[in-house]
Amino acid sequence: MDDPVQPPPRPGVFREIGWYLLFALATVAVLVAGLRLESADVRAPFEYDGDALLILPLVKATLERGSHWRNERLGAPGIQELHDFPVVDHLHFGIIWLIGQAVPDPFVVFNLYYLLTYPLTTLAGMFALRRLGLSVPAAGVGGLLYAFQPYHYLRGLMHYFLAAYWVIPLTLLVTLRVCQGRLPFFRPGTDGRYRFRPASWDSLGSVLVAAATASAGAYYAFFACAFLACAGLYGWVTLKTWRAAASAGLVLLIVFAAGLVNHAPAFLYQYRYGHNSAPTARLPEEAEIYGLKLTQLALPVEKHNWPFLAQIEATYDSAMRPLQNENKSSCLGLVGTVGLVGLLAAAVLPGRRGWPVGALAFLTLCGVLIGTIGGVGAAFNLLVTPQVRCYNRISI
């Protein structure tokens, strides 16, 4: 009888670390060439317009005071306080503060952290794909492609923290594990039934990822909760146990609780001095204005280097076509578009899908239904709260 096929051996620890370093260096090489960093002056901000003018004072206040919530140098004749316009990206602010301990110049720190988000995204994507079973080279290529999504450059330093999406692969790793049956806080017993086991490395990792997700942007935390809810439903149906939904729900609750902790300075301030709703006034209709457009996911980027592709995008981007705004930053590029079309086809065509296509197709379909104009997000803004308005940001 033939010997059973054995899985390929995993590389040694040092060899795998070498692969991670290789792809991190490849990211830096592409970044230097693409942004022409050899001729850049990091002492001057790479962007000095739009929302970058909001972020720069926050970086400077973080370096000087250890916190961005209050800035005595702005807001004359009073003092600028952001408690009614909370920016709760504390994970990013923490890293900015750490960089500032070695490099005190706020302009340099502002530029350096933006550049750092590229190799961080490569490494996080590579780590997640390795945990999902890809080989080291395949995971590295996947992480590299994800780091250089058009979204990353188009958001740039204008949408500084949106471009720092390196936590998302870790969030999606936990989400996909729920779909796979590797449930946080639950472990299968000898009889195959899942039992509550909160003390495990998987559970600890899920808690840390949930806390990081809540501290890396309110939008990404909101989308993470939506995907976890979808993953819980998928796991409940495919695994035939409610514990999949319970597992996803527990991670979701941790994200929510950590989000409340991140908002604590705003809550305490508003409890003492009252709440000014004007800075965060939103309308339900804005979910339709800033929603996701499937066409823009597949179209080339604006002013593409290839004239033929640039012309296609320019033809669509006409004055007569409505709802052209930041959702133009959601284009996926060629590889991402092929993946999107394939997964949507897998979601709607008849036939059984195993792991991982079934889970990926279901979550992709959920993401489109949540973010698209006139979709679930628009209903959420109408019936629950209009505070989440830019559903195009789910594209990444």
Side-chain angles (χ1 to χ4, degrees):
M1 185 173 62
D2 294 335
D3 292 333
V5 177
Q6 298 294 327
R10 290 177 60 87
V13 174
F14 291 107
R15 183 182 172 191
E16 182 143 352
I17 291 174
W19 277 104
Y20 277 90
L21 291 175
L22 175 64
F23 278 100
L25 291 173
T27 304
V28 173
V30 174
L31 195 59
V32 170
L35 296 182
R36 300 175 182 175
L37 294 180
E38 72 282 354
S39 59
D41 183 359
V42 296
R43 296 169 298 177
F46 291 163
E47 188 73 48
Y48 199 70
D49 194 11
D51 285 357
L53 298 179
L54 166 66
I55 301 301
L56 276 166
L58 302 186
V59 171
K60 184 175 178 63
T62 299
L63 300 187
E64 293 182 348
R65 306 183 73 259
S67 171
H68 67 284
W69 289 96
R70 180 184 174 94
N71 192 336
E72 295 84 352
R73 299 186 180 187
L74 296 175
I79 294 174
Q80 182 194 69
E81 293 180 298
L82 296 178
H83 299 90
D84 289 313
F85 187 77
V87 182
V88 293
D89 303 73
H90 287 105
L91 176 62
H92 302 310
F93 282 119
I95 298 175
I96 286 169
W97 182 85
L98 287 174
I99 297 173
Q101 302 312 295
V103 185
D105 188 323
F107 290 150
V108 176
V109 173
F110 175 72
N111 293 332
L112 285 181
Y113 184 56
Y114 171 70
L115 297 176
L116 184 62
T117 60
Y118 284 90
L120 282 176
T121 304
T122 296
L123 294 175
M126 186 176 179
F127 176 84
L129 292 172
R130 281 292 288 147
R131 303 286 79 73
L132 292 171
L134 271 68
S135 67
V136 179
V141 171
L144 193 65
L145 288 172
Y146 190 60
F148 287 99
Q149 271 288 294
Y151 182 102
H152 202 155
Y153 177 77
L154 293 175
R155 295 292 180 181
L157 292 98
M158 295 279 283
H159 287 167
Y160 192 72
F161 294 130
L162 290 177
Y165 57 82
W166 55 270
V167 176
I168 293 179
L170 307 179
T171 308
L172 291 178
L173 172 62
V174 175
T175 305
L176 286 167
R177 279 182 170 175
V178 173
C179 298
Q180 187 182 18
R182 187 172 172 178
L183 306 181
F185 310 109
F186 291 88
R187 298 184 68 180
T190 55
D191 57 357
R193 298 183 62 183
Y194 287 92
R195 289 177 171 80
F196 186 59
R197 294 290 187 272
S200 69
W201 289 112
D202 279 356
S203 300
L204 176 60
S206 299
V207 170
L208 294 176
V209 168
T213 301
S215 307
Y219 268 95
Y220 295 154
F222 176 81
F223 295 144
C225 291
F227 277 118
L228 283 166
C230 295
L233 176 62
Y234 180 90
W236 192 348
V237 172
T238 58
L239 301 173
K240 298 180 174 60
T241 173
W242 58 267
R243 291 168 180 82
S247 174
L250 287 172
V251 179
L252 191 157
L253 285 175
I254 295 171
V255 174
F256 181 76
L260 294 179
V261 172
N262 278 278
H263 279 85
F267 294 148
L268 293 174
Y269 180 90
Q270 292 166 8
Y271 175 77
R272 293 181 61 185
Y273 301 109
H275 176 54
N276 176 17
S277 61
T280 55
R282 301 286 188 267
L283 297 173
E285 293 83 354
E286 291 180 282
E288 308 280 8
I289 297 172
Y290 298 105
L292 186 71
K293 300 176 75 175
L294 275 172
T295 307
Q296 290 177 327
L297 288 174
L299 282 174
V301 296
E302 187 177 15
K303 299 178 181 178
H304 197 283
N305 288 335
W306 290 3
F308 171 70
L309 296 179
Q311 182 60 40
I312 293 176
E313 196 282 332
T315 302
Y316 180 82
D317 189 13
S318 67
M320 296 295 292
R321 203 178 304 277
L323 306 180
Q324 303 281 14
N325 48 63
E326 70 163 67
N327 51 25
K328 292 195 294 185
S329 301
S330 61
C331 54
L332 298 176
L334 177 61
V335 175
T337 300
V338 171
L340 173 69
V341 172
L343 289 174
L344 289 179
V348 299
L349 293 177
R352 299 186 63 181
R353 281 100 182 147
W355 169 262
V357 175
L360 291 171
F362 177 76
L363 292 178
T364 299
L365 181 61
C366 289
V368 170
L369 292 176
I370 291 168
T372 191
I373 292 174
V376 177
F380 180 89
N381 276 36
L382 179 66
L383 300 175
V384 182
T385 174
Q387 287 303 306
V388 181
R389 59 175 182 168
C390 299
Y391 282 92
N392 67 84
R393 297 173 182 179
I394 203 172
S395 63
I396 193 60

